[in-house]
Structure formats: C-alpha cells, structure tokens
C-alpha cells in the first residue's frame, strides 16, 4: 500500500496541514512507519514535522515552522479525539515531532 498525502489549509486556519494515509484510506496511520516516509517529507518541506494522530486511518502533519504551540496542538488532538473520533478508531492523544536532523520521531 502506497502512502498518500493530501494538502489542505482548513478555512479557519492559517497554516498548512497535510493528511497522511494510505491509498485505501483504511488503517493508514501506519504509513508513518513506512521506511523513509517522514524523512522524505521533512526533507521535501525543509522542516521538522509535527505529527498529530487523527485516527487509526490517518495522521496529520504540520511543518514545525508554522509556529503553532505544542500545548495548543495537544489540546486540539485531545478535544477532537473526545468529540469526533470513534473509540474503535482512537490512536493517541499525544503530539509527536519528527526531527529532520536526528531522523527520529518522539513525543512532543
């Protein structure tokens, strides 16, 4: 299953947001574990990546240079998980950062 990334800027937001999944859009959050996916994307964007687990089906990526505060993102992930994500699709309330320089994903 090939990775699929789509760019979107939410109408009420002023930052780029990328949705990462697989081409089937089923259990696509696992794409972040594919070899070199985050490394290649961070190189392409020229920035570290903030990784927000949306559900087991997708993750959201925001270049760190967008300047968003980690606490705000954590609160957003928690609220969306609580109000909009089905319990069977829940992945995590954590926000992660992929460091381009270290080539490493860690909890923010």
């Amino acid at each position: 299953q090939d990775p699929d990334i789509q760019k979107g800027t939410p109408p009420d937001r002023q930052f780029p947001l990328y949705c990462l999944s697989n081409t089937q859009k089923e259990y696509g959050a696992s794409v972040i574990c594919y070899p070199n996916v985050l490394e290649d994307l961070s190189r392409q964007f020229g920035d570290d990546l903030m990784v927000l687990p949306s559900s087991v089906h997708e993750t959201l990526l925001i270049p760190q240079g967008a300047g968003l505060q980690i606490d705000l993102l954590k609160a957003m992930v928690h609220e969306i998980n609580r109000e909009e994500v089905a319990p069977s699709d829940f992945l995590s309330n954590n926000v992660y950062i992929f460091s381009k320089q270290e080539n490493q994903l860690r909890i923010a």
Side-chain angles (χ1 to χ4, degrees):
Q1 298 179 4
D2 294 328
D4 181 53
I5 186 162
Q6 298 178 359
K7 181 181 181 186
T9 302
D12 59 338
R13 304 277 189 253
Q14 299 298 316
F15 55 87
L17 181 70
Y18 299 86
C19 179
L20 181 62
S21 187
N22 56 26
T23 54
Q24 293 78 23
K25 307 289 190 256
E26 293 279 324
Y27 300 98
S30 62
V31 169
I32 66 169
C33 298
Y34 289 9
N36 302 320
V37 166
L38 293 177
E39 179 182 8
D40 291 347
L41 289 170
S42 68
R43 193 176 311 120
Q44 178 182 339
F45 300 152
D47 205 349
D48 292 347
L49 302 173
M50 294 183 286
V51 181
L52 287 66
S54 178
S55 72
V56 295
H57 302 294
E58 65 187 22
T59 54
L60 303 176
L61 305 176
I62 301 170
Q64 193 166 18
L68 299 175
Q69 296 179 355
I70 297 296
D71 290 340
L72 173 69
L73 293 174
K74 287 179 182 179
M76 184 176 75
V77 168
H78 186 14
E79 179 180 341
I80 290 170
N81 281 337
R82 190 180 75 239
E83 295 180 8
E84 298 183 28
V85 177
S88 60
D89 291 342
F90 173 78
L91 188 58
S92 172
N93 277 327
N94 291 313
V95 171
Y96 302 85
I97 295 179
F98 180 80
S99 168
K100 180 176 72 158
Q101 182 176 358
E102 298 170 4
N103 193 29
Q104 182 177 17
L105 183 67
R106 62 180 167 77
I107 296 175

